[in-house]
Amino acid sequence: MRAAFLLFAAGVSVVSGADAQEPDVVTLYGRAYGLLESVEVSGGSAPAIRLNRVTDQASLLGVRGKENLGGGLVCWLQLETGFAVDSPGTFGGRNSAIGLSGAWGTVLAGRWDSVYVQSQVDPIDPFGHQGLPDIAGAAINQGNYTRREKNVIQYWSPRLAGFRTKLHYTANEGRSESANPYDYAVNVSFENGGVYAAAAFEKHKDQLGGTTVAGVDEEGLGISGFREIGPLKISAQYGHYRRTGTVMQKSYMIGFRFKRGVQELLGTYQNSRDGGPTSLAVQPRCILVGFGYRYRFSPKTFFIAQYAHVDNMVGALCNFGTNPVAISEAQDLHGIAVGLRTVF
C-alpha cells in the first residue's frame, strides 16, 4: 500500500464530477478551533475532581490540488495535517491521499475517514463530531467506528437520483503468522431536498478497538438520517456492534439544530447499553445529554458555548465525545465549554 501511495504521488481532495475545462488548481486551506472547558467527574467510589483545560477541536492545515487530464478525468491530491492549537501535531496525520475522479466516480488511496463515519457521523452530529457532546461519547461504539484509517483504498460512486455508494478496504500490512488484521466497509446514502438517509456496515478483522488481537472480530451496522424543516434540522442515528466474546452493544443518538439568523441552538441525546463480556451479570448502560449555542460572526467564524452531562448508570462506558477524562466504575461527568472556530 505504501509503495502504491508513492507511485501515485501525494495527497487528495475529493473533486466530484470534474469539469475538464477548469484550470489546474492548488489550494491552501485550514481550520483553527479551540475550547476553554470546565469539567467535573463525580460519583462512584473515586473522589470527585474538577479541572479547567484548553482543548483543541481538530484544527488543521491542508493543501489540495488537481490536474485535469482531459475527457472529464481529474487527478487530485490532498495532504492534511492536524496542528492542535494547544500542543504539537503529527505531519500528514489527517485525510491525505491521491486519487482519480471522473463521470464514473472517485477512487483514492492513502489515509482517509472510513465510509462508516462519513455516512453515520459527519452529516448527523449537530456538534460536527467535535466538543464535549460529540456523538462518539456514547454512540458509534464510543468512537471505535469513527476511524481515520491508513493504507486505505476507497471508491465513491457518483450520486444518481439522490443515491450514492461508497466502498472501503484497509490493507492487511500488519499481517503476521498468528493474525491478519484488515477492515472493510460499505455505505449507501440518499440525499435530496433537505432529506438524508444512510445505512453502513463495517468489519474489523483480528482487532480489538484498533489493536491487533488474533481471533477477535468486530462488526457494526448503522442507519442514520436527517430532515430539514425550515430553520429546524432533526437528525438521528442507530447502530448495533458485535465483538467476539461480548454481548451485542446497541446505541442511538437523536439531535437537533435550530437556526435563526446568525444564531443556532443545538441539542443531542445519546443512549448506549450492553457490549460487555458475556460473563457479566449486569451489562454497561449510559446516556449523554448535550446542549449548545452557536453565534456566527461570518460564514467562516463562529463562537460556541456547550454543556454536556454523562451518566454512567452501570460501568464506565461513556465519556465526553472529544478529549475524554479518565474515570472509574459508575462515575458521571459534567462539563461546560466556550470556544471559537475559524476556517480559511
Side-chain angles (χ1 to χ4, degrees), residues 1-8 96-98 108-112 149-154 169-173:
M1 182 65 199
R2 189 176 299 110
F5 183 88
L6 293 174
L7 180 63
F8 272 133
S96 301
I98 180 75
L108 65 86
R111 175 181 174 88
W112 211 264
E149 302 277 21
K150 60 182 180 179
N151 306 316
V152 160
I153 298 173
Q154 291 187 5
Y169 170 70
T170 302
N172 60 342
E173 289 194 12

Side-chain angles (χ1 to χ4, degrees), residues 2 48 66 77 79 92 116 158 162 168 173 185-186 202 204 243 264 281 287 295 326 332 335:
R2 189 176 299 110
K66 70 172 185 176
L77 64 88
L79 179 61
Y116 194 97
H168 169 110
E173 289 194 12
V186 58
E202 182 168 313
H204 307 151
R243 175 185 290 163
E264 300 178 13
I287 63 172
Y295 182 90
D332 302 331

Side-chain angles (χ1 to χ4, degrees), residues 217-266:
D217 295 343
E218 301 174 331
E219 60 182 48
L221 177 65
I223 56 173
S224 63
F226 69 71
R227 176 69 187 274
E228 294 180 338
I229 307 170
L232 178 65
K233 177 181 178 181
I234 302 173
S235 57
Q237 195 278 335
Y238 170 82
H240 66 236
Y241 307 92
R242 300 180 185 272
R243 175 185 290 163
T244 304
T246 67
V247 175
M248 183 176 72
Q249 182 181 350
K250 300 172 286 293
S251 67
Y252 65 88
M253 185 219 76
I254 301 171
F256 76 88
R257 183 199 67 197
F258 181 81
K259 297 176 65 175
R260 185 168 184 176
V262 297
Q263 303 182 80
E264 300 178 13
L265 295 178
L266 314 170

Side-chain angles (χ1 to χ4, degrees), residues 160-315:
L160 300 173
F163 288 93
R164 183 181 221 178
T165 299
K166 295 185 178 182
L167 306 175
H168 169 110
Y169 170 70
T170 302
N172 60 342
E173 289 194 12
R175 185 171 186 173
S176 65
E177 292 184 2
S178 60
N180 183 25
Y182 63 89
D183 301 348
Y184 61 86
V186 58
N187 78 39
V188 179
S189 66
F190 171 83
E191 185 170 9
N192 186 35
V195 175
Y196 174 86
F201 173 83
E202 182 168 313
K203 174 87 170 187
H204 307 151
K205 179 66 176 177
D206 283 352
Q207 295 176 65
L208 175 63
T211 301
T212 299
V213 178
V216 175
D217 295 343
E218 301 174 331
E219 60 182 48
L221 177 65
I223 56 173
S224 63
F226 69 71
R227 176 69 187 274
E228 294 180 338
I229 307 170
L232 178 65
K233 177 181 178 181
I234 302 173
S235 57
Q237 195 278 335
Y238 170 82
H240 66 236
Y241 307 92
R242 300 180 185 272
R243 175 185 290 163
T244 304
T246 67
V247 175
M248 183 176 72
Q249 182 181 350
K250 300 172 286 293
S251 67
Y252 65 88
M253 185 219 76
I254 301 171
F256 76 88
R257 183 199 67 197
F258 181 81
K259 297 176 65 175
R260 185 168 184 176
V262 297
Q263 303 182 80
E264 300 178 13
L265 295 178
L266 314 170
T268 184
Y269 175 85
Q270 301 177 47
N271 185 300
S272 182
R273 60 177 58 239
D274 303 333
T278 54
S279 58
L280 283 182
V282 182
Q283 291 290 319
R285 290 187 297 124
C286 53
I287 63 172
L288 187 156
V289 179
F291 295 99
Y293 168 78
R294 183 183 292 150
Y295 182 90
R296 293 191 176 274
F297 295 101
S298 74
K300 296 182 178 181
T301 301
F302 65 67
F303 164 85
I304 191 167
Q306 301 177 349
Y307 166 79
H309 168 72
V310 179
D311 184 359
N312 281 298
M313 293 167 278
V314 179

